[in-house]
């Protein structure tokens, strides 16, 4: 091939791969099989290896990462990265005005300052990840930086290039001379689960939540590691435009960013609404949808939609006066393990349960959290006296996520002398009891099974009671008025031994 042919072929390959990548990672609608993408990718890699002068800063081959950096360099943000003021709602309050008092205040203040009767707000989820600023010059990604202190952050360009859904080149023939886009890097729940499973299998440390996993993955000096971590991105703001007209509303900004190839959240999660009532109904809808979303959010964000009105409102210290974060109740909290007890299920399955010092999490007060099974307790090494992170997401049963080891109660080690005395945990590691805590029958755990069971069958009061509850329950006979407590009493006093006695 002549030099001209090589240049043309490399350029075609870059264009094809960029398009296929966008279809796959942003639109979720691939038009070619993975094998075809891989074939073209290897062809481009081979071309660039043989002719390094063909490499360009927007080449998809950069997505695999490169040689480790000694350290991240610092960059000063051309436009400071701001934070947001917070509002909360008390979802336990029955009355709309009481429930959403802080939201109503926010809308009132804006209407008063602008002298407008009704304000239109652009809404969005508040992504639970890390803020990133992306700088495109003549349509090519030039620099990516973390928020840092808002004034300057770390140069993470190499790592950001490995995020498949972030365009290395804008999808527009006449790109703006300069475009600075802000958004959030995060890890989808399924990618987080997968990463933790891999970490566990390798004996490496697992991450407590997707946010930590995303932060840990982005702050790798070795971008080849970042490349393997499946990070995602959502754009949520434009910080600067030169050489193109800046859309007049926030909603139009998001549509434009989408056209340029950026991932933005699905349109039904970013409606433009009117007034406090519109905001509140968005908040309650998203709160309902939160557990089913593929990524974690810690609230929603409201932005005055009109950029002209945004400018009129301006800023206070480090935050815009035209936007606010409306937070959801935290899904995680720290509390103390007072005891570890076992629950016996309908089929005899024994589940260790942590009895906790009452804590407000996920919008309710929690006093128990499941520890799933013996192996889980061992793996997390949960002990009496421990401070633990409890999680309650949506209507899911609260669980213990991890122990805060620094707070474990310790005592001087037995047997040490005055000079070499170490410390040991005050409470022993958990062991599943050998006998059922309810009926005293042997507990058996079959080879290869995670679940241990009480061998007592229906002679075990717990299994009997649960079996009857199952029978009377909604999915079976749906017997009105025959609830858990009532059945427990009937079984306890010996009135009912089996469903036939009902
Ligand atoms: S806008 C000028 N929109 O929240 C306003 N921020 O406290 C700049 N965040 O560090 C932020 N989702 O990481 C905005 N849809 C969203 C967001 C969002 C998450 C984070 C962002 C920022 C923090 C602000």
């Amino acid at each position: 091939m002549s030099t001209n042919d090589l240049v043309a072929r490399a350029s075609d390959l870059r264009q094809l791969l960029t398009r296929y990548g966008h279809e796959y990672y942003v639109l979720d609608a691939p038009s070619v099989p993975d094998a075809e993408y891989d074939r073209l990718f290897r062809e481009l890699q081979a071309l660039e290896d043989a002719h390094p002068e063909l490499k360009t800063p927007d080449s998809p081959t950069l997505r695999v990462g490169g040689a480790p950096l000694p350290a991240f360099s610092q960059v000063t943000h051309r436009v400071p990265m701001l934070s947001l003021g917070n509002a909360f709602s008390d979802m336990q309050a029955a009355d709309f005005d009481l429930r959403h008092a802080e939201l109503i205040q926010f809308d009132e203040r804006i209407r008063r300052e602008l002298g407008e009767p009704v304000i239109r707000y652009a809404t969005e989820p508040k992504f639970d990840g890390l803020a990133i600023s992306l700088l495109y010059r003549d349509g090519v990604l030039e620099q990516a930086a973390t928020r840092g202190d808002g004034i300057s952050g770390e140069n993470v360009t190499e790592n950001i290039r490995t995020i498949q859904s972030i365009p290395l080149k804008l999808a527009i023939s006449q790109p703006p001379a300069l475009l600075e886009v802000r958004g959030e890097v995060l890890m989808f729940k399924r990618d987080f689960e997968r990463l933790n499973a891999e970490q566990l299998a390798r004996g490496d440390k697992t991450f407590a939540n997707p946010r930590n996993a995303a932060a840990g993955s982005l702050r790798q000096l070795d971008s080849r590691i970042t490349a393997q971590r499946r990070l995602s991105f959502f754009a949520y703001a434009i910080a600067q435009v030169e050489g193109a007209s800046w859309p007049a509303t926030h909603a139009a900004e998001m549509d434009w960013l989408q056209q340029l190839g950026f991932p933005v959240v699905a349109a039904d999660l970013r409606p433009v609404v009117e007034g406090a009532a519109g905001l509140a109904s968005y908040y309650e809808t998203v709160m309902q949808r939160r557990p089913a979303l593929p990524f974690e959010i810690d609230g929603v964000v409201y932005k005055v939609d009109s950029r002209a009105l945004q400018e009129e409102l301006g800023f206070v210290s480090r935050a815009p006066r035209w936007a606010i974060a409306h937070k959801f109740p935290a899904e995680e909290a720290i509390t103390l393990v007072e005891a570890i007890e076992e629950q016996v299920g309908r089929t005899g399955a024994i589940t260790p349960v942590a009895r906790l010092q009452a804590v407000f999490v996920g919008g309710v007060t929690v006093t128990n959290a499941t520890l799933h099974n013996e192996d889980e307790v061992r793996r997390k090494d949960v002990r009496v006296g421990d401070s633990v992170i409890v999680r309650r997401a949506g209507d899911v049963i609260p669980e213990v996520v991890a122990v805060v080891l620094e707070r474990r109660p310790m005592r001087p080690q037995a047997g040490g002398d005055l000079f070499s005395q170490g410390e040991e945990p005050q409470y022993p590691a958990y062991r599943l009891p050998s006998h059922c805590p309810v009926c005293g029958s042997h507990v058996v755990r079959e080879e290869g099974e995670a679940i241990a069971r009480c061998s007592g069958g229906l002679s075990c009061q717990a299994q009997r009671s649960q079996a009857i509850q199952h029978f009377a329950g909604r999915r079976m006979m749906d017997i009105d008025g025959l609830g858990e407590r009532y059945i427990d009493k009937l079984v306890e006093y010996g009135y009912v031994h089996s469903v036939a006695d009902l």
Side-chain angles (χ1 to χ4, degrees), residues 81-86 124-132 147 183-184 236-237 298 301 303 315 320 322-323 325:
M81 291 183 80
L82 305 169
S83 56
L84 291 170
N86 288 327
E124 267 161 21
K126 186 171 190 299
F127 306 105
D128 200 5
L130 303 84
I132 289 290
R147 180 171 182 276
E184 198 92 345
Y236 57 61
D298 55 350
V301 179
K303 301 169 182 175
F315 301 88
W322 44 266

Side-chain angles (χ1 to χ4, degrees), residues 47-342:
L47 255 179
E48 289 179 347
D49 285 348
H51 308 276
E53 71 281 3
L54 292 178
K55 283 188 192 168
T56 59
D58 63 346
S59 177
T61 56
L62 291 170
R63 296 209 188 271
V64 297
L69 301 171
F72 294 119
S73 57
Q74 282 293 119
V75 292
T76 303
H77 297 297
R78 301 168 58 111
V79 178
M81 291 183 80
L82 305 169
S83 56
L84 291 170
N86 288 327
F88 292 89
S89 282
D90 175 6
M91 295 306 287
Q92 245 107 325
D95 203 61
F96 178 87
D97 286 8
L98 280 177
R99 198 154 69 228
H100 295 303
E102 295 184 18
L103 183 59
I104 295 168
Q105 270 168 30
F106 167 73
D107 178 57
E108 264 171 9
R109 173 175 64 74
I110 293 202
R111 282 189 292 133
R112 194 176 52 242
E113 286 181 27
L114 293 172
E116 297 271 345
V118 185
I119 304 294
R120 287 169 65 78
Y121 296 100
T123 61
E124 267 161 21
K126 186 171 190 299
F127 306 105
D128 200 5
L130 303 84
I132 289 290
S133 187
L134 307 171
L135 192 68
Y136 290 80
R137 208 180 291 277
D138 299 320
V140 176
L141 176 64
E142 181 181 87
Q143 189 180 75
T146 61
R147 180 171 182 276
D149 61 3
I151 304 300
S152 66
E154 284 174 328
N155 182 343
V156 287
T157 315
E158 310 254 340
N159 292 348
I160 286 294
R161 282 207 188 99
T162 71
I163 300 179
Q164 299 280 358
S165 60
I166 295 184
L168 300 179
K169 189 179 180 187
L170 301 180
I172 184 178
S173 52
Q174 309 260 285
L178 192 97
L179 176 70
E180 187 171 348
V181 175
R182 302 270 164 89
E184 198 92 345
V185 166
L186 46 84
M187 194 176 277
F188 274 44
K189 291 173 187 171
R190 58 161 194 270
D191 295 325
F192 164 72
E193 301 294 343
R194 198 193 68 154
L195 172 60
N196 262 359
E198 288 170 358
Q199 295 285 103
L200 203 61
R202 273 198 302 266
D204 287 342
K205 81 164 177 85
T206 55
F207 296 95
N209 54 50
R211 211 202 81 83
N212 287 1
S217 303
L218 193 66
R219 297 200 67 265
Q220 294 284 337
L221 291 168
D222 186 344
S223 51
R224 288 167 302 195
I225 297 179
T226 312
Q228 287 157 17
R229 292 288 176 85
R230 304 213 183 182
L231 292 171
S232 300
F233 176 79
F234 285 112
Y236 57 61
I238 293 177
Q240 284 190 92
V241 187
E242 282 171 21
S245 61
W246 192 323
T249 63
H250 181 77
E253 279 183 11
M254 291 300 104
D255 293 341
W256 189 47
L257 288 175
Q258 186 166 31
Q259 282 163 28
L260 294 179
F262 291 95
V264 298
V265 80
D268 66 334
L269 275 173
R270 51 180 174 97
V272 176
V273 302
E274 285 186 353
L279 296 176
S281 106
Y282 173 75
Y283 178 81
E284 295 191 7
T285 309
V286 178
M287 195 183 237
Q288 291 288 320
R289 290 182 60 180
R290 181 187 194 189
L293 292 177
F295 46 84
E296 294 208 327
I297 63 176
D298 55 350
V300 291
V301 179
Y302 311 133
K303 301 169 182 175
V304 170
D305 193 36
S306 154
R307 288 198 45 249
L309 295 183
Q310 288 180 5
E311 261 161 49
E312 212 174 312
L313 288 161
F315 301 88
V316 273
S317 61
R318 292 283 192 82
R321 298 165 76 176
W322 44 266
I324 198 165
H326 193 180
K327 302 288 275 291
F328 291 142
E331 287 184 330
E332 289 184 359
I334 292 184
T335 189
L336 278 177
V337 177
E338 293 178 336
I340 300 179
E341 291 171 5
E342 297 79 23

Side-chain angles (χ1 to χ4, degrees), residues 333-337 356-359 366 385-390 404 407:
I334 292 184
T335 189
L336 278 177
V337 177
L356 306 168
Q357 197 171 79
V359 63
V366 163
D386 275 346
S387 294
V388 289
I389 300 172
V390 204
V404 186
R407 299 202 198 164

